[in-house]
Amino acid sequence: MALPKLLLLFPQVFEMDISKQLQAYEVEYHVLQDELMDSPSPLNENQKMEKLEKTNSSLRQQNLDLLEELQAAHAKIHSLEARAESLASSEAKLKQAMHSLEMERVALLGTVAELKARMSTLDLPSSEDQENHQS
């Protein structure tokens, strides 16, 4: 994955707010609990309790699922941060290598120019002159 894509992905991951969903489920749970308590139902106390326990169990499972999602999101964030650091390090190393190669190129061009100058002072034909004479 390219570094720009990773940089766009970070804000999206950080914007995930599972705690709001957890709070919404908690509110939903309390509303359901209040409705069950206030509703004039023919259910006896045992049936009410069973229904509340089922609702509670369901909400607990939803909370666990959301916590798993949160943990996965944190793991993904950590992974993406590590990948971004790795890519930045690789980029820095490549820039340094490019700079070194450019300096080597400049040095080699200087050496070639110096050799051509020495050859001209010795009146030796350069390889370009030899190619021109052979043609």
Side-chain angles (χ1 to χ4, degrees):
M1 186 177 288
L3 185 59
K5 287 183 182 179
L6 287 175
L7 294 176
L8 291 174
L9 189 59
F10 281 131
Q12 293 173 358
V13 172
F14 287 124
E15 287 176 9
M16 290 177 59
D17 193 4
I18 297 176
S19 64
K20 288 180 183 178
Q21 289 177 318
L22 288 171
Q23 289 173 346
Y25 283 124
E26 184 179 3
V27 169
E28 181 182 341
Y29 170 77
H30 289 296
V31 168
L32 289 173
Q33 191 174 25
D34 290 344
E35 287 176 2
L36 287 173
M37 293 296 180
D38 295 340
S39 68
S41 83
L43 300 176
N44 65 30
E45 288 300 314
N46 285 339
Q47 290 172 326
K48 285 182 186 180
M49 186 60 82
E50 287 176 16
K51 194 169 186 179
L52 284 173
E53 286 175 359
K54 286 180 183 177
T55 302
N56 189 26
S57 176
S58 172
L59 291 172
R60 284 181 194 263
Q61 185 59 46
Q62 289 175 350
N63 284 345
L64 290 175
D65 292 344
L66 288 171
L67 286 174
E68 286 178 16
E69 286 181 35
L70 181 61
Q71 290 171 344
H74 283 298
K76 183 73 172 179
I77 289 169
H78 180 70
S79 170
L80 292 172
E81 286 174 342
R83 178 76 173 140
E85 287 177 17
S86 172
L87 290 171
S89 174
S90 295
E91 180 184 21
K93 287 177 184 176
L94 289 171
K95 283 182 179 181
Q96 180 63 36
M98 187 175 76
H99 178 70
S100 296
L101 289 171
E102 184 61 33
M103 298 212 25
E104 182 179 355
R105 180 184 165 274
V106 168
L108 289 172
L109 288 173
T111 302
V112 168
E114 184 180 327
L115 288 173
K116 282 183 179 180
R118 285 186 184 176
M119 288 179 73
S120 68
T121 60
L122 296 174
D123 290 330
L124 294 175
S126 67
S127 63
E128 292 173 359
D129 294 337
Q130 288 176 355
E131 288 175 8
N132 291 337
H133 289 301
Q134 290 176 358
S135 300

